[in-house]
Amino acid sequence: MSASGDAAMKQYLVLAMREPAFDAAVVEPHRVFLADLREQGRLERSGAFSDKSGGAYVLLAPDLDAATALAQRDPLHLTGASRLTVYEWQV
């Protein structure tokens, strides 16, 4: 069963705010990362902010620790290009 079909999954909002040393070369690896999460049923939606300050995405995970572990695999985080903050999001 996909993660999106699992009733135990919760939504987590990941805010990805660009750091001063942001390098645009990380955008494509970040998009590949998100595509992989979407394929696994772990990504609900994603998008960039129009002011170019960063973006956000919604993960599906059983708990905050799991959501944070997923977000920490994002190339934006691994390269230090963006500061990621994860929140449980009760919509």
Side-chain angles (χ1 to χ4, degrees), residues 38-52:
R38 186 173 288 112
E39 189 175 298
Q40 296 167 28
R42 296 218 173 258
L43 180 69
E44 193 158 280
R45 61 184 60 230
S46 63
F49 299 141
S50 61
D51 68 358
K52 308 287 187 210

Side-chain angles (χ1 to χ4, degrees), residues 61-81:
D63 56 44
L64 182 60
D65 288 341
T68 299
L70 277 175
Q72 288 179 343
R73 293 179 13 217
D74 188 332
L76 292 176
H77 171 75
L78 294 174
T79 63

Side-chain angles (χ1 to χ4, degrees), residues 2 7 10 15 19 32 37 40 42 65 69 71 74 82 84 89:
S2 75
K10 298 176 186 174
L15 292 180
E19 294 287 6
V32 170
L37 289 178
Q40 296 167 28
R42 296 218 173 258
D65 288 341
D74 188 332
S82 295
L84 273 55
W89 199 22

